[in-house]
Amino acid sequence: MSQTAQKAPGTTGVPDANRWKALAFIAIAQLMVVLDATIVNIAMPSAQLDLGISDGNRQWIVTAYALAFGGLLLFGGRIADLWGRKRAFVTGLGGFAAASALGGAATNEAMMFGARALQGAFGALLAPAALSLLAVMFTDAKERAKAFGIYGAIAGGGGAVGLILGGFLTEYLDWRWTFFVNIPFAIVAAAGAYFVIREPQGGRNRSALDIPGVILSTLGLVALVYGFTRAESNGWSDSLTVGMFVASAVLLAAFVIVESKVKAPLLPLRVITERNRGGIYLSLGLAIIAMFGLFLFLTYYLQIVKGYSPVKTGFAFLPMIVGMITGSTQIGTRLMTRVAPRLLMGPGFLVAALGMLLLTRLEIGSSYAALLLPAMLLLGLGMGTAFMPAMSLATYGIEPRDAGVASAMVNTSQQVGGAIGTALLNTIAASATTSYIKDHIASASSKPQQQLVQLEGMVEGYTSAIWFAVGILVVAATIAFTLVNAGRPDMGPVAGSGERDAEDAMPVPVVAH
């Protein structure tokens, strides 16, 4: 028995026999990249002490990675389309492993910062190649839902796993192992990918590389990410911070103009102007702003206010991981082929906002079981449910020649969202903390009372910033409800959504029995 249906553009309709094995190795690589984003944060104090890095320079352990990764993502996505995703994926893994070895063996700050920049550069090649491989290998709607459910769970929960692993490695071994641990991940994923992944034919984009686009996008994104990173430490009115934002706006505006004129653009504007993808990039970026701020505040709250060890802090995030895996693989995967994506994304972001709303009640003596656990469960469930269809729809229906850059845009929205979230919410928290301490410190006569006011001020800062995060998640939900108008995967093109929408709507997969 067989059903006749439309095929996803550029596919043969015959699924790759090794696609599930390939997913396992893609998942290992994705876990490694996501782990690295948080695992190094736990190790930073020890690494700073060992390598003699000053307080002023320590931010470059994170910033060097963020600038290279965020700035080169679009270029990495285009290289994946040009070389082929499998080659870009294996090359990215090899480079990431070598850079991790260099970081683990670092003897001074220059070696550490260089290793982190190299990790970011190879990560920018690896991340879009991984996501676009899934996009071109899984074309059946139900299989695609399962594959992206697994991928979404890893993308969402991997950061929290990194906190646990980072705590264990730093506390019981040595901070250098937070780098060395990447090497076995990379070797297994690269070897598996080399022998198992068979990329569908005809999906490469062999057009000449858009050099002006590469330069403008890289410089524009680097300026934007650095502007937000600098704002966190030097303030929003700092002349260099303002200069970075102005430069970024000019460079990215010039990039858009160039992309609309050149014959073979780095980022074809059709990728981002299609309303579903545009809505996903926007809502996903906003959700990540809220998430990154929360990771930061809860880590500080648990370690400084509650006195948790790094390992205990990592385990405290487990309910969020469980929620994300459940939301992604059980709710998102099961409903993806039955309801329109916006009916998963919008409610998902609202459930996450509800979890965030609970955290506005945070106090010094708040109970973990009564407040933090349910809040993190709701956050995880909501984000997992929303991330899964977002990851899938961002690349579904895309022409195979654009799969790499479309995947890179998903990563770019997350990377820029992370930089904005850390800087913006940290600034709001710091301002509220300073204001609270200024108003209450005079009434604290003894040292213990002054220390209590300091801690109360910190918590006041966190809750003030979390209120903003609630609002950001509500805006993300509104964007998902209004802009994302694709139907269920088995409904075919969205009626009345315009020529471009009809071309890029989620197609009906081939089902053969």
Side-chain angles (χ1 to χ4, degrees):
M1 171 185 159
S2 67
Q3 289 170 271
T4 309
Q6 271 179 296
K7 289 183 289 189
T11 65
T12 62
V14 180
D16 181 355
N18 286 327
R19 61 197 180 283
W20 291 107
K21 290 179 187 173
L23 173 63
F25 297 115
I26 292 168
I28 290 168
Q30 173 65 11
L31 180 62
M32 180 189 73
V33 172
V34 177
L35 282 176
D36 195 74
T38 49
I39 199 170
V40 173
N41 289 347
I42 297 278
M44 266 176 64
S46 306
Q48 182 188 353
L49 194 66
D50 262 16
L51 302 177
I53 301 171
S54 69
D55 284 348
N57 282 346
R58 72 179 170 191
Q59 64 159 329
W60 284 100
I61 297 175
V62 173
T63 305
Y65 178 87
L67 292 184
F69 188 69
L72 293 170
L73 268 167
L74 282 177
F75 182 45
R78 178 66 181 85
I79 289 293
D81 287 336
L82 183 67
W83 282 2
R85 285 117 208 160
K86 176 177 173 176
R87 187 187 297 177
F89 183 71
V90 173
T91 305
L93 281 166
F96 201 93
S100 298
L102 190 67
T107 53
N108 55 52
E109 64 178 35
M111 198 169 163
M112 169 60 76
F113 300 156
R116 290 292 284 156
L118 274 175
Q119 275 187 313
F122 283 105
L125 181 62
L126 171 62
L131 186 55
S132 56
L133 274 170
L134 285 191
V136 298
M137 290 178 77
F138 288 89
T139 54
D140 175 86
K142 287 188 177 178
E143 286 196 347
R144 186 181 175 88
K146 285 179 187 174
F148 275 89
I150 294 165
Y151 187 88
I154 291 168
V161 176
L163 293 171
I164 298 172
L165 191 56
F168 261 109
L169 293 172
T170 305
E171 208 164 307
Y172 299 116
L173 288 171
D174 184 73
W175 66 265
R176 295 181 185 277
W177 282 97
T178 60
F179 286 91
F180 292 144
V181 76
N182 291 330
I183 298 169
F185 276 110
I187 290 170
V188 170
Y194 184 80
F195 291 109
V196 167
I197 290 177
R198 189 167 53 84
E199 195 176 342
Q201 294 298 312
R204 288 198 196 180
N205 183 346
R206 299 183 187 275
S207 306
L209 199 58
D210 169 23
I211 300 299
V214 170
I215 294 168
L216 288 169
S217 68
T218 301
L219 292 178
L221 288 169
V222 163
L224 183 65
V225 173
Y226 185 55
F228 279 110
T229 305
R230 190 175 171 84
E232 187 190 348
S233 54
N234 294 66
W236 295 89
S237 58
D238 173 68
S239 56
L240 186 55
T241 301
V242 174
M244 283 292 156
F245 287 135
V246 172
S248 173
V250 171
L251 288 162
L252 292 177
F255 172 66
V256 172
I257 293 166
V258 166
E259 297 310 275
S260 66
K261 308 271 186 204
V262 297
K263 188 179 175 184
L266 173 71
L267 175 63
L269 296 183
R270 61 180 174 267
V271 171
I272 53 172
T273 53
E274 196 275 313
R275 68 180 288 166
N276 288 290
R277 276 192 290 277
I280 279 163
Y281 298 146
L282 268 176
S283 59
L284 208 54
L286 286 168
I288 293 292
I289 289 174
M291 278 292 287
F292 261 67
L294 182 78
F295 269 136
L296 187 73
F297 298 141
L298 281 187
T299 301
Y300 278 120
Y301 173 79
L302 292 169
Q303 289 196 25
I304 296 172
V305 179
K306 304 296 273 185
Y308 284 21
S309 69
V311 173
K312 194 176 178 183
T313 300
F315 275 108
F317 280 97
L318 269 178
M320 194 183 292
I321 300 173
V322 170
M324 279 185 175
I325 291 170
T326 305
S328 188
T329 61
Q330 299 305 309
I331 301 172
T333 300
R334 290 173 188 272
L335 295 181
M336 181 69 185
T337 54
R338 300 177 190 177
V339 301
R342 69 176 176 274
L343 299 181
L344 288 172
M345 289 178 64
F349 288 137
L350 290 177
V351 168
L354 183 61
M356 201 75 87
L357 189 64
L358 285 179
L359 289 172
T360 59
R361 298 171 55 206
L362 211 59
E363 294 174 354
I364 287 180
S366 291
S367 160
Y368 176 83
L371 181 66
L372 277 94
L373 190 147
M376 284 200 270
L377 264 176
L378 284 171
L379 265 163
L381 269 174
M383 287 296 194
T385 302
F387 272 30
M388 188 262 145
M391 292 283 188
S392 179
L393 187 58
T395 54
Y396 210 121
I398 195 79
E399 296 174 38
R401 65 196 171 116
D402 296 334
V405 287
S407 302
M409 275 303 300
V410 176
N411 286 284
T412 301
S413 67
Q414 290 177 295
Q415 186 63 26
V416 172
I420 295 171
T422 306
L424 179 65
L425 296 181
N426 219 16
T427 305
I428 293 165
S431 174
T433 296
T434 304
S435 178
Y436 183 93
I437 292 171
K438 187 179 175 184
D439 292 345
H440 293 82
I441 200 73
S443 60
S445 52
S446 64
K447 194 169 182 181
Q449 285 179 324
Q450 288 173 354
Q451 287 173 335
L452 183 64
V453 168
Q454 296 274 358
L455 290 176
E456 286 172 345
M458 284 175 71
V459 176
E460 175 71 21
Y462 301 156
T463 54
S464 300
I466 288 168
W467 272 111
F468 274 85
V470 172
I472 289 167
L473 283 171
V474 171
V475 173
T478 306
I479 289 170
F481 277 126
T482 53
L483 283 185
V484 179
N485 70 343
R488 296 199 316 262
D490 58 349
M491 284 172 62
V494 183
S497 55
E499 182 183 338
R500 188 68 237 166
D501 285 349
E503 182 184 327
D504 279 337
M506 298 178 78
V508 186
V510 169
V511 184
H513 299 287

